Amino acid sequence: MSEKVLIFDTTLRDGEQSPGCSMNLQEKLKMAHQLERLNVDVIEAGFPIASDGDFEAVQATAAEIRQPIIAALARTNRQDIERAWEAIKNAAHPRIHTFIATSDIHLEFKLRKSRSEVLEQSIEAVRIARDLCSDVEFSAEDATRSDIDYLAEVFEAAIENGATTINIPDTVGYAIPQEYGPFVKELISKISNRDKARFSCHCHDDLGLAVANSLAGVESGCRQVECTVNGIGERAGNASLEEIVMTLRTRKDLLPYHTDIVTEEIYRSSRLVSNLTGAFVQANKAVVGKNAFAHEAGIHQDGMLKHARTYEIMTPQSVGIISSTLVMGKHSGRHALSKKYEELGYQLSKEELERAYFFFTKLADQKKEIYDEDLITIVQDGIKTIPDTYKINHVHAAGGNQGLSSAVVRLARNDETYVASAHGDGPVDAIYKAVDQITGLRGRLLDYSVNSVTRGKDALGEVFVHVRFNDRNYTAKAASVDILDASARAYVNAVNKALYEKKQDATGQRPESVSAEPQKIPHKATGS
Ligand code: KIV
Ligand code: ZN
């Protein structure tokens, strides 16, 4: 039997903290459930000291997710560690993950501490953590640029004082595999109590080498890999979970290791991350990109038809991309839809199926062919957890290349409807200005993107927006066959998120940020 490599997923911590990838509590929980289905060994749920929102998300994840280990990040000080423990103490399998930098450059310029001070602080932190929790991970930030003998000394002391996992991050993505592999091997050999801990690698992708470095780490003795779905993370990202897992699975001949990942859940996990964050997956991305299994060249297609293995080193089914047996269209009923979702791997409750069916029939009226991606979008997007404070009744916008564009928007809130019109630099800008007039919020659009979910002229367009209301940023999305409609819905979804958070703030959990009532009602419409 090959040796097991644990998959430590940090999508909700290192991934989520990267620009444009933030998720709210419901979204984090949705992702955590998907990670549980993916069967990761560890979910790093967040950094509880960072904010009250982070703390709540980690706490909720710890309460709901029972199978994987739930890790919480903490710097090497009592306050951080106690806060991390407070968030995860009710988890079925809690882990405290504490870290401090060990490279001279970080010690001199960031921490302003000597090597012996950092060593002492590490020991003290591991002791505090170990008093609270039997599972303690210790990471040396910027390990790959640290002096190897000093690093070995710090790690040995951490193990001596109770650390059960030792993580060797390539924090700045500087290492290359021919260097990282031997570095890890030599480092481990220098640690006399190495048999008392599991070693872990955590590589960033600044030079596009995070996956290669992680695999080199595994070959040199790491039995845990830290990674994220779609490789999201700080700067260029972290090592991509799906690439590591599928490399280990596909190249068993050279890499005699296995993971317990349910690979058929990979594609759904990938879609969920991009749906929740708006961080699109490039078409040619390994394993989960739109084109990862598309064979375009005639010679390739010919080979594929004769024997799939001519050009296919892994099957789309193995990562959960199902080739359809049921074609969905206007006349498909609930039963067929439910069967189709089963085929796609979704077990929908009666209510979820009802809601999905509602969105499905709306979509089927608008487009001829409904693809699997459409159905996944419906189920991940249409079944919402944030209440619709404002609903769109009507949007009309006109633009062109001559002068200002204009828009008329009608929104409903409770039983009232509100209408506003505005001019803008383009129809989307005009729509957003009209929405702002109604809600009284002033959104600053930080990012806007449109992506086609499927193929053809009537493809679903997915719009993602990052909007700043007062001092907080919100990510929201919407899909429609009409991109102006999708643009309006995405923006109103961001408004609803902001208002929902405001409601939560009112319970005293978070600082005030957004005003909840329309400040100025431009024109209250009668009827709907
Ligand atoms: O990249 C890094 O060094 C980290 C640590 C906190 C593990 O994310
Ligand atoms: Zn990191």
Side-chain angles (χ1 to χ4, degrees):
M1 182 67 176
S2 61
E3 274 191 72
K4 175 170 169 173
V5 173
L6 270 69
I7 296 296
F8 176 116
D9 180 276
T10 183
T11 305
L12 293 172
R13 199 278 297 169
D14 222 339
E16 201 266 346
Q17 79 190 33
S18 64
C21 286
S22 58
M23 300 177 215
N24 65 27
L25 185 119
Q26 277 77 19
E27 291 167 336
K28 285 181 184 171
L29 281 175
K30 210 170 184 180
M31 190 63 219
H33 280 288
Q34 180 56 31
L35 292 172
E36 191 173 34
R37 283 190 288 274
L38 187 61
N39 207 27
V40 302
D41 298 282
V42 187
I43 294 176
E44 185 162 51
F47 191 7
I49 197 84
S51 69
D52 289 346
D54 244 52
F55 177 87
E56 286 159 29
V58 177
Q59 195 174 45
T61 307
E64 279 194 25
I65 307 293
R66 307 311 284 171
Q67 185 64 30
I69 294 168
I70 305 298
L73 188 67
R75 287 165 297 187
T76 46
N77 65 64
R78 181 177 289 279
Q79 207 196 355
D80 271 41
I81 294 168
E82 287 179 348
R83 190 77 175 142
W85 175 242
E86 191 55 34
I88 53 165
K89 66 181 182 202
N90 293 323
H93 311 286
R95 172 181 293 184
I96 296 175
H97 177 192
T98 185
F99 75 100
I100 189 165
T102 49
S103 65
D104 287 337
I105 188 165
H106 277 237
L107 264 59
E108 185 181 345
F109 297 105
K110 189 179 87 175
L111 300 176
R112 297 183 196 285
K113 285 187 192 293
S114 67
R115 285 187 179 183
S116 58
E117 283 172 317
V118 166
L119 174 64
E120 280 316 308
Q121 194 168 324
S122 306
I123 293 171
E124 180 62 14
V126 171
R127 281 189 187 150
I128 296 170
R130 190 55 205 254
D131 277 350
L132 298 167
C133 182
S134 61
D135 187 344
V136 174
E137 173 165 336
F138 175 78
S139 285
E141 196 188 5
D142 206 19
T144 48
R145 294 193 300 170
S146 305
D147 176 78
I148 194 163
D149 291 314
Y150 172 62
L151 190 57
E153 188 185 351
V154 174
F155 281 157
E156 192 166 298
I159 298 171
E160 187 62 36
N161 287 280
T164 44
T165 299
I166 292 294
N167 186 30
I168 312 164
D170 182 29
T171 304
V172 291
Y174 180 67
I176 64 170
Q178 297 87 330
E179 176 190 27
Y180 187 69
F183 178 81
V184 168
K185 199 172 205 157
E186 188 185 341
L187 177 66
I188 295 177
S189 75
K190 285 176 185 280
I191 302 170
S192 65
N193 50 6
R194 57 185 169 272
D195 55 320
K196 296 199 176 68
R198 173 180 283 113
F199 290 89
S200 167
C201 46
H202 175 116
C203 299
H204 280 267
D205 208 31
D206 299 66
L207 293 173
L209 294 169
V211 169
N213 283 333
S214 302
L215 293 170
V218 168
E219 287 198 279
S220 297
C222 293
R223 291 295 173 267
Q224 174 178 287
V225 175
E226 305 196 354
C227 46
T228 59
V229 173
N230 295 344
I232 64 167
E234 279 287 311
R235 307 180 309 279
N238 287 62
S240 131
L241 180 148
E242 57 278 6
E243 292 175 25
I244 287 164
V245 168
M246 290 314 286
T247 304
L248 291 178
R249 183 177 152 152
T250 308
R251 297 310 310 269
K252 282 193 198 83
D253 54 331
L254 288 180
L255 299 161
Y257 313 99
H258 70 275
T259 70
D260 282 347
I261 292 296
V262 176
T263 59
E264 291 76 11
E265 291 292 335
I266 283 179
Y267 185 64
R268 270 189 288 283
S269 308
S270 163
R271 286 287 308 159
L272 187 60
V273 168
S274 46
N275 255 312
L276 294 177
T277 62
F280 292 122
V281 171
Q282 81 208 42
N284 64 335
K285 160 90 172 62
V287 183
V288 291
K290 232 183 197 168
N291 295 346
F293 295 93
H295 302 272
E296 185 78 25
I299 203 165
H300 289 205
Q301 289 178 345
D302 179 56
M304 281 293 292
L305 289 172
K306 286 177 176 147
H307 197 305
R309 293 247 302 276
T310 50
Y311 285 100
E312 203 168 70
I313 57 164
M314 56 190 160
T315 63
Q317 290 82 357
S318 67
V319 298
I321 301 174
I322 312 289
S323 46
S324 302
T325 53
L326 276 169
V327 178
M328 302 303 294
K330 208 178 164 102
H331 302 294
S332 311
R334 282 179 184 73
H335 185 63
L337 187 67
S338 140
K339 272 257 161 302
K340 179 73 185 184
Y341 273 120
E342 266 173 40
E343 217 183 73
L344 292 171
Y346 290 95
Q347 301 293 337
L348 301 190
S349 68
K350 230 173 146 213
E351 297 76 50
E352 285 172 334
L353 180 65
E354 231 9 83
R355 255 195 96 112
Y357 186 70
F358 170 76
F359 285 107
F360 166 74
T361 49
K362 271 177 71 170
L363 187 60
D365 273 341
Q366 293 171 291
K367 77 194 285 264
K368 270 206 307 272
E369 278 175 279
I370 310 266
Y371 296 99
D372 292 354
E373 293 92 330
D374 293 322
L375 295 175
I376 294 175
T377 302
I378 285 177
V379 86
Q380 291 185 346
D381 190 21
I383 299 172
K384 283 207 249 124
T385 41
I386 302 282
D388 286 335
T389 307
Y390 284 102
K391 284 197 183 101
I392 295 185
N393 276 355
H394 172 91
V395 178
H396 179 82
N401 61 357
Q402 306 291 322
L404 280 179
S405 300
S406 60
V408 179
V409 173
R410 185 201 297 252
L411 301 183
R413 180 175 174 155
N414 301 326
D415 294 331
E416 308 277 13
T417 55
Y418 304 90
V419 180
S421 59
H423 291 288
D425 299 326
V428 172
D429 186 45
I431 291 171
Y432 292 178
K433 282 190 171 131
V435 172
D436 282 356
Q437 282 185 40
I438 294 174
T439 62
L441 303 177
R442 292 284 168 269
R444 190 152 71 83
L445 192 63
L446 303 176
D447 203 3
Y448 169 93
S449 56
V450 194
N451 188 37
S452 96
V453 179
T454 48
R455 290 141 275 173
K457 266 205 304 204
D458 57 359
L460 264 191
E462 211 169 30
V463 170
F464 277 86
V465 289
H466 291 270
V467 195
R468 191 164 182 82
F469 292 113
N470 293 355
D471 56 351
R472 273 192 221 165
N473 297 349
Y474 298 86
T475 307
K477 64 181 180 305
S480 169
V481 287
D482 181 307
I483 59 161
L484 290 178
D485 181 44
S487 304
R489 286 177 196 286
Y491 191 77
V492 171
N493 285 344
V495 167
N496 288 336
K497 271 189 175 183
L499 294 178
Y500 178 67
E501 229 178 79
K502 166 74 185 174
K503 228 177 182 170
Q504 289 191 316
D505 291 346
T507 63
Q509 310 245 347
R510 292 180 208 188
E512 293 265 311
S513 63
V514 175
S515 95
E517 296 302 320
Q519 288 164 1
K520 186 175 116 197
I521 300 173
H523 178 83
K524 201 184 259 190
T526 47
S528 58

